């Protein structure tokens, strides 16, 4: 089996199913009454965690690829980024349906006056253009350079996501701080690694900062 | 002095949840047999302060949920942590220091304090500042019963309560998530109000460790964080106590912490609440958690927005 066949037949299906495991567990736990006294809080927390984890894995592809030289990793980046978006949609839908029951006025008020909601909502909105332009067609249409510039929004979104978490906890900031440190490490790899290894030919499409889509 | 220990309930004497939930008919049957049914005391309180709205307003939250979803940072900050970790707490023997502006200060054994006190059942709504709520059948007695025994002086304007501070028994205190020990307080008139109780149990049993064993404060018209748990110190003061959350985040938590749908927490709305284990936040929060008729007069003329 060639590498590209392996990616298509084995690699991607495995990653796809793996990304759905947290969601499946959530659904089965919900229907078996295993989410405790406050199921919605549990759903909100778990989907929130998985947004950040998947964003971080997405952001980790480029540094890991540089470190290992495994070019094949880039082929998984779009799927991982789209799953981060999937969990973000689940997270926000839970908020709209169960916290506010589609009450637009109270949602707007929430977003307008509460900084942690504002920043969380912004982070979600920023992911929308990235999800939309994640197809090969959009990469072609925008051209590599513009596509990359657009997809650098993932940095803003990830920083916003961590702030959203940090600003909502009552007292125990340990977990948001850990998430923040991981993000700082991932961003730091962007600062110094390219200087060591980048060659002019590499600096275009397949490389570079931004995830959601794999590139040609 | 001979002390009757309430802790010594044989397993066979514990009211099963099924019987407890069905206690009205149980009381009826017991009365028919001429038995003395003390649990009947729950009934008058059950109807107090009901909003006249939803019929299920005082449908009890299950024992399982009441004892597995707790904010008790002394055992960890996750809601499930207290149930997992509170086994290290030793609720007996239990010493309570009582001091300040009173005639009878001293270090008391809890069982001495409880001797001669009638334990009653009280069904109360519990509204957490995090916008969820439960209905809990407590066992306990009014604060006033105990306070009167200590003979407060005219200088006693407030009562301050402290939780145990012992990292061996409360491992969550190894991390300074909050400035330990946990401190809460009430104004004297609030403390003397008949709805304010010390709880020693729930669902007809002794208080589980994760719910604040061996005894804790329950003030049903205030947010849950006022209900200081595992109390080791009761102090009567002239100055307003500095309660832990108000020290931690003075913009977000005040001294009074009265349940109020019109005064939002800076980070979330208090207009509605989620009655656990429900999914929707579809219950309108009531002023003073539905006990306005009983306690409203305590705050007459006060600006509840400033004194949140």
């Amino acid at each position: 089996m060639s590498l590209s066949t392996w990616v298509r037949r084995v690699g991607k299906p495995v990653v796809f199913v793996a990304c759905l495991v947290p969601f499946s567990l959530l659904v089965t736990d919900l229907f078996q009454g295993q989410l405790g006294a406050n199921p919605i809080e549990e759903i909100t927390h778990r989907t929130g965690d998985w947004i950040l984890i998947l964003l971080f894995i997405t952001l980790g592809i480029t540094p890991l690829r540089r470190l290992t030289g495994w070019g094949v990793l880039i082929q998984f980046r779009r799927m991982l980024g789209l799953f981060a978006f999937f969990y973000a949609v689940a997270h926000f839908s839970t908020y709209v349906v169960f916290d506010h029951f589609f009450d637009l006025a109270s949602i707007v008020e929430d977003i307008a006056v509460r900084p942690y909601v504002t920043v969380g909502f912004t982070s979600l909105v920023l992911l929308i253009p990235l999800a939309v332009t994640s197809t090969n067609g959009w990469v072609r249409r925008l051209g590599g350079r513009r596509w990359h510039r657009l997809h650098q929004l993932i940095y803003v979104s990830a920083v916003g996501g961590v702030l959203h978490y940090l600003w909502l906890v009552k007292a125990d900031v340990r977990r948001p701080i850990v998430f923040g440190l991981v993000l700082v490490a991932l961003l730091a790899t962007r600062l110094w690694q390219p200087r060591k290894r980048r060659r002019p030919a590499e600096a275009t499409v397949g490389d570079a900062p931004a995830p959601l889509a794999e590139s040609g | 002095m001979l002390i009757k220990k309430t802790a010594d309930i044989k397993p066979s004497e514990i009211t099963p949840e099924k019987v407890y939930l069905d206690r009205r008919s149980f009381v009826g049957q017991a009365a028919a047999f001429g038995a003395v049914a003390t649990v009947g005391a729950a009934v008058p309180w059950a109807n107090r302060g009901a909003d006249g709205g939803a019929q299920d307003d005082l449908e009890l939250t299950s024992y399982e949920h009441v004892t597995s979803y707790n904010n008790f940072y002394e055992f960890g900050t996750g809601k499930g942590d207290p149930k997992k970790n509170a086994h290290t707490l030793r609720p007996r023997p239990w010493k309570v220091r009582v001091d300040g502006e009173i005639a009878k200060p001293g270090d008391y054994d809890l069982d001495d304090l409880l001797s001669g006190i009638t334990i009653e059942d009280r069904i109360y709504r519990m509204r957490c500042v995090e916008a969820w709520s439960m209905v809990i059948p407590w066992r306990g007695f009014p604060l006033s019963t105990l306070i009167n025994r200590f003979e407060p002086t005219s200088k006693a304007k407030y009562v301050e309560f402290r939780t145990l501070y012992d990292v061996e028994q409360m491992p969550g205190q190894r991390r300074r998530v909050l400035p330990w020990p946990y401190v809460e307080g009430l104004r004297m008139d609030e403390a003397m109000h008949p709805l304010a109780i010390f709880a020693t149990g729930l669902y007809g049993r002794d208080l589980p460790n994760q719910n604040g064993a061996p005894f804790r404060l329950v003030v049903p018209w205030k947010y849950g964080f006022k209900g200081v748990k595992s109390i080791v110190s009761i102090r009567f003061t002239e100055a307003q106590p500095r309660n832990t959350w108000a020290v931690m985040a003075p913009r977000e938590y005040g001294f009074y912490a009265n349940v109020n749908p019109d005064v939002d927490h800076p980070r979330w709305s208090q207009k509605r609440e989620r009655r656990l284990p429900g999914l929707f936040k579809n219950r309108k929060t009531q002023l003073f958690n539905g006990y306005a008729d009983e306690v409203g007069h305590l705050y007459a003329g006060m600006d509840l927005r400033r004194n949140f």
Side-chain angles (χ1 to χ4, degrees), chain B residues 123-137:
Chain B
I123 295 173
Y124 283 156
R125 284 179 287 270
M126 212 285 287
R127 170 63 155 80
C128 178
V129 74
E130 295 165 5
W132 52 263
S133 61
M134 295 182 174
V135 177
I136 304 175

Side-chain angles (χ1 to χ4, degrees), chain A residues 38 41 99 167 170 172, chain B residues 69 77 130 175 267 274 277:
Chain A
N38 198 344
E41 182 186 68
D99 285 324
W167 287 348
K170 274 169 76 189
D172 189 356
Chain B
Y69 187 81
T77 55
E130 295 165 5
R175 292 180 57 217
R267 287 184 285 157
R274 177 175 283 133

Side-chain angles (χ1 to χ4, degrees), chain A residues 41-208:
Chain A
E41 182 186 68
E42 184 70 18
I43 291 170
T44 304
H45 288 176
R46 281 208 224 168
T47 50
D49 281 350
W50 282 103
I51 302 165
L52 287 175
I53 291 168
L54 285 162
L55 277 180
F56 292 173
I57 295 174
T58 308
L59 284 171
I61 293 282
T62 294
L64 189 64
R65 199 169 58 108
R66 291 208 179 109
L67 203 67
T68 60
W70 299 339
V72 67
L73 288 173
I74 199 73
Q75 305 215 34
F76 296 94
R77 196 169 64 172
R78 164 163 52 194
M79 185 186 285
L80 289 163
L82 283 171
F83 266 111
F85 181 67
F86 167 79
Y87 281 97
V89 170
H91 186 73
F92 184 67
S93 306
T94 308
Y95 164 86
V96 169
V97 178
F98 294 101
D99 285 324
H100 291 277
F101 199 61
F102 306 103
D103 181 347
L104 196 63
S106 76
I107 293 170
V108 170
E109 184 200 325
D110 224 17
I111 293 170
V113 306
R114 307 205 163 89
Y116 90 91
V117 186
T118 316
V119 72
F121 181 72
T122 307
S123 297
L124 169 71
V125 169
L126 291 180
L127 288 180
I128 295 172
L130 308 197
V132 169
T133 61
S134 64
T135 60
N136 292 338
W138 270 103
V139 179
R140 265 198 309 278
R141 229 165 298 165
L142 288 172
R145 176 174 292 192
R146 269 195 298 170
W147 186 89
H148 274 130
R149 188 159 301 162
L150 173 66
H151 279 245
Q152 286 182 335
L153 283 176
I154 192 174
Y155 298 144
V156 185
S157 185
V159 170
V162 171
L163 279 182
H164 169 69
Y165 190 6
L166 185 67
W167 287 348
L168 72 86
V169 295
K170 274 169 76 189
D172 189 356
V173 294
R174 185 164 54 175
R175 290 192 79 237
I177 293 287
V178 169
F179 275 94
L181 290 175
V182 172
L183 180 59
V184 166
L186 286 166
L187 296 182
T189 62
R190 266 81 181 168
L191 292 180
W192 53 267
Q193 199 140 11
R195 244 176 269 157
K196 265 202 291 186
R197 301 197 53 187
R198 172 165 298 190
R199 274 166 282 127
E202 245 186 340
T204 52
V205 178
D207 196 41

